[in-house]
Amino acid sequence: MTGVPAVSEPVPGPATGRSGGPRHVAIIMDGNGRWAKKRLLPRIAGHRAGAEALRRTIRGAGQLGIEVLTLYAFSSENWRRPASEIADLMGLLRHYIRAEIAEIAAAGIRLRIIGDYRRFEPDVVTLIDDAVAKTAGNTGTTLVIALNYGAQDEIVRAVRGIVADGLAPADIDTAAIGARLDTSDLPPLDLLIRTSGERRLSNFLLWQAAYAELLFVDTLWPDFDAATLATAVQDFATRERRYGGL
């Protein structure tokens, strides 16, 4: 990005979602492999079940009035997985976009992508670009999919943008960095959920999570559904968010 002015960082405030709950919810979708292993199934079966959970969760987010739903689908570290599994994931991504984009568009959902997804095969990139363009004018829930995303890389790219823009050191503040992040035009992150019992962020939305509420649930991602999301939102509503104050 170029020519982005450094402005005062807005102070985070309480959630103002349509339902009174969080405006922006993010989920680390974890546990597909363990779900499959428990059932003596191949890992791809877990990923396919995870795609069904994705469908349920997107629908639930709309029902709960969540403005932005951000999902960690493929991290920059996932390239370390076996080539066969990566090929299966890319095939599933192709299938999901082709099968779901019409319904997503009809539901008024706006699709956004964060991360360097252009590293994927050209046909996958084309499918993604077409899907984003098809939903660009929608005004319902914004569905943000993180593809080939890593938060540390995102911050590095933001810093490079600051250098390229020639900002003086005195003009570099949190707003200058935030304006150059992939999520710069989205509401602040309110709630970050990780499934499968793991208790780490795994290089996901590190900057954005500074004042987000964190929730770690034991549910494996393929078992996640609208009711699980609603329970998470209810938990969020019980928390007092002070942002460093009293």
PDB file of all heavy atoms in Angstrom, residues 183-222:
ATOM      1  N   THR A 183      -6.169  -7.005   7.132  1.00  0.00           N
ATOM      2  CA  THR A 183      -7.501  -6.776   7.713  1.00  0.00           C
ATOM      3  C   THR A 183      -7.793  -5.301   7.945  1.00  0.00           C
ATOM      4  O   THR A 183      -8.696  -4.966   8.716  1.00  0.00           O
ATOM      5  CB  THR A 183      -7.594  -7.512   9.064  1.00  0.00           C
ATOM      6  OG1 THR A 183      -6.529  -7.036   9.910  1.00  0.00           O
ATOM      7  CG2 THR A 183      -7.458  -9.015   8.888  1.00  0.00           C
ATOM      8  N   SER A 184      -7.066  -4.423   7.280  1.00  0.00           N
ATOM      9  CA  SER A 184      -7.144  -2.996   7.593  1.00  0.00           C
ATOM     10  C   SER A 184      -8.542  -2.404   7.457  1.00  0.00           C
ATOM     11  O   SER A 184      -8.876  -1.429   8.134  1.00  0.00           O
ATOM     12  CB  SER A 184      -6.175  -2.210   6.702  1.00  0.00           C
ATOM     13  OG  SER A 184      -6.516  -2.370   5.328  1.00  0.00           O
ATOM     14  N   ASP A 185      -9.372  -2.967   6.597  1.00  0.00           N
ATOM     15  CA  ASP A 185     -10.704  -2.410   6.382  1.00  0.00           C
ATOM     16  C   ASP A 185     -11.794  -3.172   7.136  1.00  0.00           C
ATOM     17  O   ASP A 185     -12.980  -2.973   6.878  1.00  0.00           O
ATOM     18  CB  ASP A 185     -11.037  -2.392   4.888  1.00  0.00           C
ATOM     19  CG  ASP A 185     -11.043  -3.787   4.284  1.00  0.00           C
ATOM     20  OD1 ASP A 185     -10.383  -4.689   4.858  1.00  0.00           O
ATOM     21  OD2 ASP A 185     -11.698  -3.987   3.238  1.00  0.00           O
ATOM     22  N   LEU A 186     -11.390  -4.026   8.071  1.00  0.00           N
ATOM     23  CA  LEU A 186     -12.347  -4.825   8.832  1.00  0.00           C
ATOM     24  C   LEU A 186     -12.466  -4.301  10.260  1.00  0.00           C
ATOM     25  O   LEU A 186     -11.552  -3.653  10.764  1.00  0.00           O
ATOM     26  CB  LEU A 186     -11.900  -6.293   8.859  1.00  0.00           C
ATOM     27  CG  LEU A 186     -11.807  -6.990   7.505  1.00  0.00           C
ATOM     28  CD1 LEU A 186     -11.231  -8.396   7.681  1.00  0.00           C
ATOM     29  CD2 LEU A 186     -13.174  -7.054   6.825  1.00  0.00           C
ATOM     30  N   PRO A 187     -13.572  -4.595  10.940  1.00  0.00           N
ATOM     31  CA  PRO A 187     -13.703  -4.190  12.340  1.00  0.00           C
ATOM     32  C   PRO A 187     -12.646  -4.878  13.199  1.00  0.00           C
ATOM     33  O   PRO A 187     -12.145  -5.955  12.833  1.00  0.00           O
ATOM     34  CB  PRO A 187     -15.112  -4.671  12.722  1.00  0.00           C
ATOM     35  CG  PRO A 187     -15.816  -4.932  11.441  1.00  0.00           C
ATOM     36  CD  PRO A 187     -14.771  -5.299  10.440  1.00  0.00           C
ATOM     37  N   PRO A 188     -12.309  -4.303  14.338  1.00  0.00           N
ATOM     38  CA  PRO A 188     -11.367  -4.966  15.241  1.00  0.00           C
ATOM     39  C   PRO A 188     -11.851  -6.364  15.614  1.00  0.00           C
ATOM     40  O   PRO A 188     -13.059  -6.616  15.693  1.00  0.00           O
ATOM     41  CB  PRO A 188     -11.339  -4.049  16.467  1.00  0.00           C
ATOM     42  CG  PRO A 188     -11.766  -2.719  15.958  1.00  0.00           C
ATOM     43  CD  PRO A 188     -12.752  -2.998  14.859  1.00  0.00           C
ATOM     44  N   LEU A 189     -10.903  -7.256  15.829  1.00  0.00           N
ATOM     45  CA  LEU A 189     -11.240  -8.626  16.213  1.00  0.00           C
ATOM     46  C   LEU A 189     -11.764  -8.640  17.646  1.00  0.00           C
ATOM     47  O   LEU A 189     -11.112  -8.122  18.557  1.00  0.00           O
ATOM     48  CB  LEU A 189      -9.997  -9.510  16.094  1.00  0.00           C
ATOM     49  CG  LEU A 189     -10.176 -10.980  16.465  1.00  0.00           C
ATOM     50  CD1 LEU A 189     -11.197 -11.648  15.543  1.00  0.00           C
ATOM     51  CD2 LEU A 189      -8.837 -11.711  16.412  1.00  0.00           C
ATOM     52  N   ASP A 190     -12.934  -9.224  17.845  1.00  0.00           N
ATOM     53  CA  ASP A 190     -13.543  -9.297  19.172  1.00  0.00           C
ATOM     54  C   ASP A 190     -13.301 -10.636  19.850  1.00  0.00           C
ATOM     55  O   ASP A 190     -12.990 -10.693  21.039  1.00  0.00           O
ATOM     56  CB  ASP A 190     -15.056  -9.064  19.073  1.00  0.00           C
ATOM     57  CG  ASP A 190     -15.411  -7.666  18.635  1.00  0.00           C
ATOM     58  OD1 ASP A 190     -14.858  -6.718  19.225  1.00  0.00           O
ATOM     59  OD2 ASP A 190     -16.211  -7.517  17.694  1.00  0.00           O
ATOM     60  N   LEU A 191     -13.465 -11.720  19.103  1.00  0.00           N
ATOM     61  CA  LEU A 191     -13.431 -13.056  19.693  1.00  0.00           C
ATOM     62  C   LEU A 191     -12.657 -14.001  18.786  1.00  0.00           C
ATOM     63  O   LEU A 191     -12.948 -14.078  17.590  1.00  0.00           O
ATOM     64  CB  LEU A 191     -14.858 -13.583  19.891  1.00  0.00           C
ATOM     65  CG  LEU A 191     -15.017 -15.036  20.346  1.00  0.00           C
ATOM     66  CD1 LEU A 191     -14.409 -15.241  21.738  1.00  0.00           C
ATOM     67  CD2 LEU A 191     -16.499 -15.430  20.348  1.00  0.00           C
ATOM     68  N   LEU A 192     -11.669 -14.681  19.358  1.00  0.00           N
ATOM     69  CA  LEU A 192     -10.902 -15.679  18.605  1.00  0.00           C
ATOM     70  C   LEU A 192     -11.099 -17.034  19.267  1.00  0.00           C
ATOM     71  O   LEU A 192     -10.824 -17.198  20.462  1.00  0.00           O
ATOM     72  CB  LEU A 192      -9.418 -15.301  18.562  1.00  0.00           C
ATOM     73  CG  LEU A 192      -8.555 -16.083  17.553  1.00  0.00           C
ATOM     74  CD1 LEU A 192      -7.326 -15.275  17.153  1.00  0.00           C
ATOM     75  CD2 LEU A 192      -8.099 -17.435  18.096  1.00  0.00           C
ATOM     76  N   ILE A 193     -11.575 -17.989  18.490  1.00  0.00           N
ATOM     77  CA  ILE A 193     -11.880 -19.338  18.975  1.00  0.00           C
ATOM     78  C   ILE A 193     -10.892 -20.325  18.352  1.00  0.00           C
ATOM     79  O   ILE A 193     -10.622 -20.249  17.149  1.00  0.00           O
ATOM     80  CB  ILE A 193     -13.312 -19.753  18.583  1.00  0.00           C
ATOM     81  CG1 ILE A 193     -14.330 -18.738  19.093  1.00  0.00           C
ATOM     82  CG2 ILE A 193     -13.633 -21.153  19.080  1.00  0.00           C
ATOM     83  CD1 ILE A 193     -15.708 -18.892  18.447  1.00  0.00           C
ATOM     84  N   ARG A 194     -10.378 -21.233  19.167  1.00  0.00           N
ATOM     85  CA  ARG A 194      -9.608 -22.346  18.604  1.00  0.00           C
ATOM     86  C   ARG A 194     -10.267 -23.649  19.044  1.00  0.00           C
ATOM     87  O   ARG A 194     -10.570 -23.849  20.220  1.00  0.00           O
ATOM     88  CB  ARG A 194      -8.158 -22.332  19.059  1.00  0.00           C
ATOM     89  CG  ARG A 194      -7.400 -23.519  18.429  1.00  0.00           C
ATOM     90  CD  ARG A 194      -5.912 -23.466  18.609  1.00  0.00           C
ATOM     91  NE  ARG A 194      -5.315 -24.571  17.828  1.00  0.00           N
ATOM     92  CZ  ARG A 194      -4.132 -24.526  17.259  1.00  0.00           C
ATOM     93  NH1 ARG A 194      -3.399 -23.435  17.350  1.00  0.00           N
ATOM     94  NH2 ARG A 194      -3.660 -25.545  16.590  1.00  0.00           N
ATOM     95  N   THR A 195     -10.460 -24.528  18.099  1.00  0.00           N
ATOM     96  CA  THR A 195     -11.071 -25.820  18.392  1.00  0.00           C
ATOM     97  C   THR A 195     -10.008 -26.874  18.690  1.00  0.00           C
ATOM     98  O   THR A 195      -8.811 -26.633  18.541  1.00  0.00           O
ATOM     99  CB  THR A 195     -11.939 -26.287  17.215  1.00  0.00           C
ATOM    100  OG1 THR A 195     -11.100 -26.511  16.062  1.00  0.00           O
ATOM    101  CG2 THR A 195     -12.994 -25.251  16.856  1.00  0.00           C
ATOM    102  N   SER A 196     -10.449 -28.035  19.133  1.00  0.00           N
ATOM    103  CA  SER A 196      -9.654 -29.272  19.289  1.00  0.00           C
ATOM    104  C   SER A 196      -8.849 -29.339  20.574  1.00  0.00           C
ATOM    105  O   SER A 196      -8.086 -30.280  20.775  1.00  0.00           O
ATOM    106  CB  SER A 196      -8.711 -29.500  18.104  1.00  0.00           C
ATOM    107  OG  SER A 196      -7.474 -28.812  18.275  1.00  0.00           O
ATOM    108  N   GLY A 197      -9.001 -28.375  21.477  1.00  0.00           N
ATOM    109  CA  GLY A 197      -8.312 -28.441  22.751  1.00  0.00           C
ATOM    110  C   GLY A 197      -6.923 -27.843  22.768  1.00  0.00           C
ATOM    111  O   GLY A 197      -6.315 -27.723  23.842  1.00  0.00           O
ATOM    112  N   GLU A 198      -6.387 -27.464  21.613  1.00  0.00           N
ATOM    113  CA  GLU A 198      -5.077 -26.821  21.587  1.00  0.00           C
ATOM    114  C   GLU A 198      -5.203 -25.393  22.127  1.00  0.00           C
ATOM    115  O   GLU A 198      -6.239 -24.748  21.975  1.00  0.00           O
ATOM    116  CB  GLU A 198      -4.528 -26.791  20.159  1.00  0.00           C
ATOM    117  CG  GLU A 198      -4.363 -28.165  19.518  1.00  0.00           C
ATOM    118  CD  GLU A 198      -3.277 -29.000  20.174  1.00  0.00           C
ATOM    119  OE1 GLU A 198      -2.492 -28.446  20.974  1.00  0.00           O
ATOM    120  OE2 GLU A 198      -3.205 -30.204  19.898  1.00  0.00           O
ATOM    121  N   ARG A 199      -4.118 -24.896  22.746  1.00  0.00           N
ATOM    122  CA  ARG A 199      -4.178 -23.596  23.392  1.00  0.00           C
ATOM    123  C   ARG A 199      -3.030 -22.711  22.920  1.00  0.00           C
ATOM    124  O   ARG A 199      -2.180 -22.304  23.691  1.00  0.00           O
ATOM    125  CB  ARG A 199      -4.145 -23.757  24.909  1.00  0.00           C
ATOM    126  CG  ARG A 199      -5.485 -24.482  25.321  1.00  0.00           C
ATOM    127  CD  ARG A 199      -5.923 -24.461  26.525  1.00  0.00           C
ATOM    128  NE  ARG A 199      -7.184 -24.917  26.993  1.00  0.00           N
ATOM    129  CZ  ARG A 199      -7.978 -25.848  26.554  1.00  0.00           C
ATOM    130  NH1 ARG A 199      -7.720 -26.512  25.458  1.00  0.00           N
ATOM    131  NH2 ARG A 199      -9.089 -26.142  27.171  1.00  0.00           N
ATOM    132  N   ARG A 200      -3.035 -22.449  21.636  1.00  0.00           N
ATOM    133  CA  ARG A 200      -2.047 -21.541  21.051  1.00  0.00           C
ATOM    134  C   ARG A 200      -2.664 -20.887  19.823  1.00  0.00           C
ATOM    135  O   ARG A 200      -3.656 -21.372  19.280  1.00  0.00           O
ATOM    136  CB  ARG A 200      -0.766 -22.295  20.681  1.00  0.00           C
ATOM    137  CG  ARG A 200      -0.971 -23.443  19.709  1.00  0.00           C
ATOM    138  CD  ARG A 200       0.328 -24.193  19.436  1.00  0.00           C
ATOM    139  NE  ARG A 200       0.113 -25.303  18.523  1.00  0.00           N
ATOM    140  CZ  ARG A 200      -0.247 -26.522  18.900  1.00  0.00           C
ATOM    141  NH1 ARG A 200      -0.408 -26.790  20.193  1.00  0.00           N
ATOM    142  NH2 ARG A 200      -0.429 -27.489  18.010  1.00  0.00           N
ATOM    143  N   LEU A 201      -2.043 -19.788  19.371  1.00  0.00           N
ATOM    144  CA  LEU A 201      -2.580 -19.026  18.247  1.00  0.00           C
ATOM    145  C   LEU A 201      -2.000 -19.452  16.907  1.00  0.00           C
ATOM    146  O   LEU A 201      -2.553 -19.101  15.861  1.00  0.00           O
ATOM    147  CB  LEU A 201      -2.338 -17.528  18.469  1.00  0.00           C
ATOM    148  CG  LEU A 201      -3.012 -16.929  19.705  1.00  0.00           C
ATOM    149  CD1 LEU A 201      -2.785 -15.423  19.738  1.00  0.00           C
ATOM    150  CD2 LEU A 201      -4.507 -17.242  19.714  1.00  0.00           C
ATOM    151  N   SER A 202      -0.895 -20.170  16.916  1.00  0.00           N
ATOM    152  CA  SER A 202      -0.331 -20.739  15.689  1.00  0.00           C
ATOM    153  C   SER A 202      -0.183 -19.707  14.569  1.00  0.00           C
ATOM    154  O   SER A 202      -0.587 -19.941  13.433  1.00  0.00           O
ATOM    155  CB  SER A 202      -1.177 -21.932  15.215  1.00  0.00           C
ATOM    156  OG  SER A 202      -1.122 -22.977  16.154  1.00  0.00           O
ATOM    157  N   ASN A 203       0.369 -18.547  14.919  1.00  0.00           N
ATOM    158  CA  ASN A 203       0.701 -17.541  13.912  1.00  0.00           C
ATOM    159  C   ASN A 203      -0.539 -17.011  13.189  1.00  0.00           C
ATOM    160  O   ASN A 203      -0.500 -16.712  11.997  1.00  0.00           O
ATOM    161  CB  ASN A 203       1.712 -18.115  12.901  1.00  0.00           C
ATOM    162  CG  ASN A 203       2.465 -17.044  12.137  1.00  0.00           C
ATOM    163  OD1 ASN A 203       2.534 -15.896  12.555  1.00  0.00           O
ATOM    164  ND2 ASN A 203       3.016 -17.414  10.996  1.00  0.00           N
ATOM    165  N   PHE A 204      -1.629 -16.871  13.913  1.00  0.00           N
ATOM    166  CA  PHE A 204      -2.887 -16.402  13.330  1.00  0.00           C
ATOM    167  C   PHE A 204      -3.319 -15.093  13.984  1.00  0.00           C
ATOM    168  O   PHE A 204      -3.500 -15.019  15.204  1.00  0.00           O
ATOM    169  CB  PHE A 204      -3.974 -17.458  13.530  1.00  0.00           C
ATOM    170  CG  PHE A 204      -5.305 -17.120  12.905  1.00  0.00           C
ATOM    171  CD1 PHE A 204      -5.405 -16.742  11.581  1.00  0.00           C
ATOM    172  CD2 PHE A 204      -6.473 -17.212  13.653  1.00  0.00           C
ATOM    173  CE1 PHE A 204      -6.629 -16.445  11.002  1.00  0.00           C
ATOM    174  CE2 PHE A 204      -7.712 -16.938  13.074  1.00  0.00           C
ATOM    175  CZ  PHE A 204      -7.786 -16.552  11.757  1.00  0.00           C
ATOM    176  N   LEU A 205      -3.442 -14.043  13.206  1.00  0.00           N
ATOM    177  CA  LEU A 205      -3.975 -12.750  13.653  1.00  0.00           C
ATOM    178  C   LEU A 205      -3.301 -12.266  14.945  1.00  0.00           C
ATOM    179  O   LEU A 205      -3.976 -11.790  15.870  1.00  0.00           O
ATOM    180  CB  LEU A 205      -5.488 -12.840  13.846  1.00  0.00           C
ATOM    181  CG  LEU A 205      -6.316 -13.183  12.603  1.00  0.00           C
ATOM    182  CD1 LEU A 205      -7.796 -13.230  12.955  1.00  0.00           C
ATOM    183  CD2 LEU A 205      -6.081 -12.194  11.466  1.00  0.00           C
ATOM    184  N   LEU A 206      -1.979 -12.355  14.990  1.00  0.00           N
ATOM    185  CA  LEU A 206      -1.265 -11.998  16.212  1.00  0.00           C
ATOM    186  C   LEU A 206      -1.461 -10.530  16.570  1.00  0.00           C
ATOM    187  O   LEU A 206      -1.670 -10.183  17.744  1.00  0.00           O
ATOM    188  CB  LEU A 206       0.225 -12.309  16.055  1.00  0.00           C
ATOM    189  CG  LEU A 206       0.580 -13.782  15.785  1.00  0.00           C
ATOM    190  CD1 LEU A 206       2.080 -13.944  15.681  1.00  0.00           C
ATOM    191  CD2 LEU A 206       0.009 -14.686  16.879  1.00  0.00           C
ATOM    192  N   TRP A 207      -1.370  -9.654  15.586  1.00  0.00           N
ATOM    193  CA  TRP A 207      -1.563  -8.225  15.841  1.00  0.00           C
ATOM    194  C   TRP A 207      -3.017  -7.946  16.223  1.00  0.00           C
ATOM    195  O   TRP A 207      -3.306  -7.251  17.197  1.00  0.00           O
ATOM    196  CB  TRP A 207      -1.174  -7.431  14.588  1.00  0.00           C
ATOM    197  CG  TRP A 207      -1.298  -5.948  14.732  1.00  0.00           C
ATOM    198  CD1 TRP A 207      -2.439  -5.194  14.622  1.00  0.00           C
ATOM    199  CD2 TRP A 207      -0.245  -5.031  15.039  1.00  0.00           C
ATOM    200  NE1 TRP A 207      -2.158  -3.867  14.819  1.00  0.00           N
ATOM    201  CE2 TRP A 207      -0.812  -3.730  15.074  1.00  0.00           C
ATOM    202  CE3 TRP A 207       1.127  -5.175  15.244  1.00  0.00           C
ATOM    203  CZ2 TRP A 207      -0.066  -2.596  15.330  1.00  0.00           C
ATOM    204  CZ3 TRP A 207       1.878  -4.035  15.500  1.00  0.00           C
ATOM    205  CH2 TRP A 207       1.286  -2.771  15.542  1.00  0.00           C
ATOM    206  N   GLN A 208      -3.935  -8.504  15.466  1.00  0.00           N
ATOM    207  CA  GLN A 208      -5.361  -8.229  15.654  1.00  0.00           C
ATOM    208  C   GLN A 208      -5.878  -8.781  16.981  1.00  0.00           C
ATOM    209  O   GLN A 208      -6.881  -8.298  17.515  1.00  0.00           O
ATOM    210  CB  GLN A 208      -6.161  -8.822  14.497  1.00  0.00           C
ATOM    211  CG  GLN A 208      -5.866  -8.207  13.144  1.00  0.00           C
ATOM    212  CD  GLN A 208      -4.669  -8.850  12.443  1.00  0.00           C
ATOM    213  OE1 GLN A 208      -3.868  -9.541  13.056  1.00  0.00           O
ATOM    214  NE2 GLN A 208      -4.558  -8.626  11.131  1.00  0.00           N
ATOM    215  N   ALA A 209      -5.217  -9.798  17.515  1.00  0.00           N
ATOM    216  CA  ALA A 209      -5.692 -10.452  18.739  1.00  0.00           C
ATOM    217  C   ALA A 209      -5.256  -9.736  20.013  1.00  0.00           C
ATOM    218  O   ALA A 209      -5.548 -10.206  21.116  1.00  0.00           O
ATOM    219  CB  ALA A 209      -5.200 -11.891  18.785  1.00  0.00           C
ATOM    220  N   ALA A 210      -4.606  -8.586  19.882  1.00  0.00           N
ATOM    221  CA  ALA A 210      -4.050  -7.892  21.053  1.00  0.00           C
ATOM    222  C   ALA A 210      -5.086  -7.707  22.157  1.00  0.00           C
ATOM    223  O   ALA A 210      -4.779  -7.895  23.342  1.00  0.00           O
ATOM    224  CB  ALA A 210      -3.473  -6.543  20.625  1.00  0.00           C
ATOM    225  N   TYR A 211      -6.313  -7.324  21.819  1.00  0.00           N
ATOM    226  CA  TYR A 211      -7.362  -7.140  22.806  1.00  0.00           C
ATOM    227  C   TYR A 211      -8.594  -7.998  22.521  1.00  0.00           C
ATOM    228  O   TYR A 211      -9.676  -7.741  23.053  1.00  0.00           O
ATOM    229  CB  TYR A 211      -7.756  -5.656  22.905  1.00  0.00           C
ATOM    230  CG  TYR A 211      -6.821  -4.875  23.793  1.00  0.00           C
ATOM    231  CD1 TYR A 211      -5.836  -4.074  23.245  1.00  0.00           C
ATOM    232  CD2 TYR A 211      -6.908  -4.978  25.175  1.00  0.00           C
ATOM    233  CE1 TYR A 211      -4.961  -3.377  24.061  1.00  0.00           C
ATOM    234  CE2 TYR A 211      -6.036  -4.285  25.998  1.00  0.00           C
ATOM    235  CZ  TYR A 211      -5.061  -3.477  25.441  1.00  0.00           C
ATOM    236  OH  TYR A 211      -4.191  -2.792  26.239  1.00  0.00           O
ATOM    237  N   ALA A 212      -8.412  -9.023  21.715  1.00  0.00           N
ATOM    238  CA  ALA A 212      -9.523  -9.941  21.461  1.00  0.00           C
ATOM    239  C   ALA A 212      -9.715 -10.869  22.659  1.00  0.00           C
ATOM    240  O   ALA A 212      -8.772 -11.168  23.404  1.00  0.00           O
ATOM    241  CB  ALA A 212      -9.248 -10.767  20.213  1.00  0.00           C
ATOM    242  N   GLU A 213     -10.937 -11.316  22.844  1.00  0.00           N
ATOM    243  CA  GLU A 213     -11.201 -12.375  23.818  1.00  0.00           C
ATOM    244  C   GLU A 213     -10.836 -13.710  23.177  1.00  0.00           C
ATOM    245  O   GLU A 213     -11.147 -13.947  22.000  1.00  0.00           O
ATOM    246  CB  GLU A 213     -12.674 -12.369  24.223  1.00  0.00           C
ATOM    247  CG  GLU A 213     -13.121 -11.109  24.945  1.00  0.00           C
ATOM    248  CD  GLU A 213     -12.420 -10.933  26.275  1.00  0.00           C
ATOM    249  OE1 GLU A 213     -12.294 -11.930  27.025  1.00  0.00           O
ATOM    250  OE2 GLU A 213     -11.987  -9.803  26.577  1.00  0.00           O
ATOM    251  N   LEU A 214     -10.175 -14.572  23.941  1.00  0.00           N
ATOM    252  CA  LEU A 214      -9.742 -15.870  23.435  1.00  0.00           C
ATOM    253  C   LEU A 214     -10.581 -16.968  24.071  1.00  0.00           C
ATOM    254  O   LEU A 214     -10.866 -16.942  25.272  1.00  0.00           O
ATOM    255  CB  LEU A 214      -8.260 -16.108  23.740  1.00  0.00           C
ATOM    256  CG  LEU A 214      -7.278 -15.018  23.298  1.00  0.00           C
ATOM    257  CD1 LEU A 214      -5.849 -15.434  23.644  1.00  0.00           C
ATOM    258  CD2 LEU A 214      -7.413 -14.732  21.815  1.00  0.00           C
ATOM    259  N   LEU A 215     -10.957 -17.940  23.253  1.00  0.00           N
ATOM    260  CA  LEU A 215     -11.745 -19.070  23.741  1.00  0.00           C
ATOM    261  C   LEU A 215     -11.208 -20.347  23.115  1.00  0.00           C
ATOM    262  O   LEU A 215     -11.166 -20.467  21.887  1.00  0.00           O
ATOM    263  CB  LEU A 215     -13.230 -18.891  23.392  1.00  0.00           C
ATOM    264  CG  LEU A 215     -14.162 -20.021  23.839  1.00  0.00           C
ATOM    265  CD1 LEU A 215     -14.184 -20.120  25.362  1.00  0.00           C
ATOM    266  CD2 LEU A 215     -15.571 -19.805  23.297  1.00  0.00           C
ATOM    267  N   PHE A 216     -10.796 -21.282  23.960  1.00  0.00           N
ATOM    268  CA  PHE A 216     -10.280 -22.564  23.485  1.00  0.00           C
ATOM    269  C   PHE A 216     -11.282 -23.646  23.862  1.00  0.00           C
ATOM    270  O   PHE A 216     -11.634 -23.798  25.034  1.00  0.00           O
ATOM    271  CB  PHE A 216      -8.912 -22.847  24.117  1.00  0.00           C
ATOM    272  CG  PHE A 216      -7.884 -21.782  23.816  1.00  0.00           C
ATOM    273  CD1 PHE A 216      -7.584 -20.804  24.749  1.00  0.00           C
ATOM    274  CD2 PHE A 216      -7.253 -21.750  22.590  1.00  0.00           C
ATOM    275  CE1 PHE A 216      -6.646 -19.819  24.481  1.00  0.00           C
ATOM    276  CE2 PHE A 216      -6.318 -20.763  22.301  1.00  0.00           C
ATOM    277  CZ  PHE A 216      -6.019 -19.800  23.248  1.00  0.00           C
ATOM    278  N   VAL A 217     -11.766 -24.356  22.858  1.00  0.00           N
ATOM    279  CA  VAL A 217     -12.783 -25.384  23.095  1.00  0.00           C
ATOM    280  C   VAL A 217     -12.230 -26.748  22.694  1.00  0.00           C
ATOM    281  O   VAL A 217     -11.374 -26.853  21.809  1.00  0.00           O
ATOM    282  CB  VAL A 217     -14.081 -25.080  22.325  1.00  0.00           C
ATOM    283  CG1 VAL A 217     -14.676 -23.758  22.775  1.00  0.00           C
ATOM    284  CG2 VAL A 217     -13.860 -25.076  20.816  1.00  0.00           C
ATOM    285  N   ASP A 218     -12.708 -27.790  23.353  1.00  0.00           N
ATOM    286  CA  ASP A 218     -12.224 -29.140  23.079  1.00  0.00           C
ATOM    287  C   ASP A 218     -12.848 -29.748  21.825  1.00  0.00           C
ATOM    288  O   ASP A 218     -12.350 -30.749  21.300  1.00  0.00           O
ATOM    289  CB  ASP A 218     -12.506 -30.056  24.278  1.00  0.00           C
ATOM    290  CG  ASP A 218     -11.671 -29.672  25.494  1.00  0.00           C
ATOM    291  OD1 ASP A 218     -10.564 -29.127  25.308  1.00  0.00           O
ATOM    292  OD2 ASP A 218     -12.138 -29.906  26.628  1.00  0.00           O
ATOM    293  N   THR A 219     -13.916 -29.165  21.333  1.00  0.00           N
ATOM    294  CA  THR A 219     -14.611 -29.692  20.151  1.00  0.00           C
ATOM    295  C   THR A 219     -13.673 -29.782  18.958  1.00  0.00           C
ATOM    296  O   THR A 219     -12.986 -28.810  18.630  1.00  0.00           O
ATOM    297  CB  THR A 219     -15.794 -28.769  19.791  1.00  0.00           C
ATOM    298  OG1 THR A 219     -16.617 -28.592  20.935  1.00  0.00           O
ATOM    299  CG2 THR A 219     -16.611 -29.348  18.644  1.00  0.00           C
ATOM    300  N   LEU A 220     -13.618 -30.934  18.321  1.00  0.00           N
ATOM    301  CA  LEU A 220     -12.861 -31.059  17.074  1.00  0.00           C
ATOM    302  C   LEU A 220     -13.626 -30.328  15.976  1.00  0.00           C
ATOM    303  O   LEU A 220     -14.865 -30.330  15.947  1.00  0.00           O
ATOM    304  CB  LEU A 220     -12.668 -32.529  16.709  1.00  0.00           C
ATOM    305  CG  LEU A 220     -11.865 -33.369  17.709  1.00  0.00           C
ATOM    306  CD1 LEU A 220     -11.852 -34.832  17.281  1.00  0.00           C
ATOM    307  CD2 LEU A 220     -10.450 -32.849  17.867  1.00  0.00           C
ATOM    308  N   TRP A 221     -12.898 -29.708  15.045  1.00  0.00           N
ATOM    309  CA  TRP A 221     -13.561 -28.853  14.070  1.00  0.00           C
ATOM    310  C   TRP A 221     -14.698 -29.541  13.319  1.00  0.00           C
ATOM    311  O   TRP A 221     -15.762 -28.926  13.130  1.00  0.00           O
ATOM    312  CB  TRP A 221     -12.553 -28.250  13.084  1.00  0.00           C
ATOM    313  CG  TRP A 221     -13.249 -27.483  12.001  1.00  0.00           C
ATOM    314  CD1 TRP A 221     -13.322 -27.786  10.676  1.00  0.00           C
ATOM    315  CD2 TRP A 221     -14.033 -26.286  12.174  1.00  0.00           C
ATOM    316  NE1 TRP A 221     -14.086 -26.863  10.008  1.00  0.00           N
ATOM    317  CE2 TRP A 221     -14.537 -25.939  10.908  1.00  0.00           C
ATOM    318  CE3 TRP A 221     -14.347 -25.490  13.275  1.00  0.00           C
ATOM    319  CZ2 TRP A 221     -15.333 -24.813  10.714  1.00  0.00           C
ATOM    320  CZ3 TRP A 221     -15.143 -24.377  13.082  1.00  0.00           C
ATOM    321  CH2 TRP A 221     -15.633 -24.048  11.814  1.00  0.00           C
ATOM    322  N   PRO A 222     -14.583 -30.785  12.860  1.00  0.00           N
ATOM    323  CA  PRO A 222     -15.714 -31.380  12.135  1.00  0.00           C
ATOM    324  C   PRO A 222     -16.994 -31.489  12.960  1.00  0.00           C
ATOM    325  O   PRO A 222     -18.081 -31.651  12.386  1.00  0.00           O
ATOM    326  CB  PRO A 222     -15.186 -32.766  11.755  1.00  0.00           C
ATOM    327  CG  PRO A 222     -13.705 -32.585  11.657  1.00  0.00           C
ATOM    328  CD  PRO A 222     -13.397 -31.650  12.795  1.00  0.00           C
TER     329      PRO A 222
END
